[in-house]
Amino acid sequence: MTADEYREALVRLDLSQVAAARLLGVDDRTSRRWATGERDVPGPAGRFLNYLIATRKTGAQAMKVFGD
């Protein structure tokens, strides 16, 4: 997943970078680095976000199930 794809996934899921970080179990800075392209989005994180999109889940629904 590219930085552009990551940012687009967050828009589609209605997630902020901070909320995505919590959902994915990473630091806020890590999410920001993925969004800017400073770091690559790990495969499992990208696949999970794509899974949520494919199953028409919202970020809020995912946070209820997977969030802290």
Side-chain angles (χ1 to χ4, degrees):
M1 174 175 277
T2 67
D4 289 338
E5 291 168 334
Y6 179 70
R7 289 190 311 272
E8 177 62 26
L10 299 189
V11 169
R12 291 184 69 180
L13 294 167
D14 194 28
L15 284 171
S16 68
Q17 290 178 17
V18 171
R22 288 189 195 127
L23 179 62
L24 296 168
V26 298
D27 189 80
D28 298 352
R29 290 173 293 185
T30 300
S31 181
R32 184 175 63 247
R33 289 176 180 139
W34 293 346
T36 63
E38 184 180 336
R39 299 271 188 228
D40 292 336
V41 179
R47 285 190 297 276
F48 179 65
L49 294 175
N50 285 328
Y51 166 79
L52 294 176
I53 291 167
T55 58
R56 301 176 190 245
K57 303 291 186 230
T58 65
Q61 290 170 322
M63 290 296 289
K64 284 182 184 177
V65 175
F66 302 107
D68 45 293

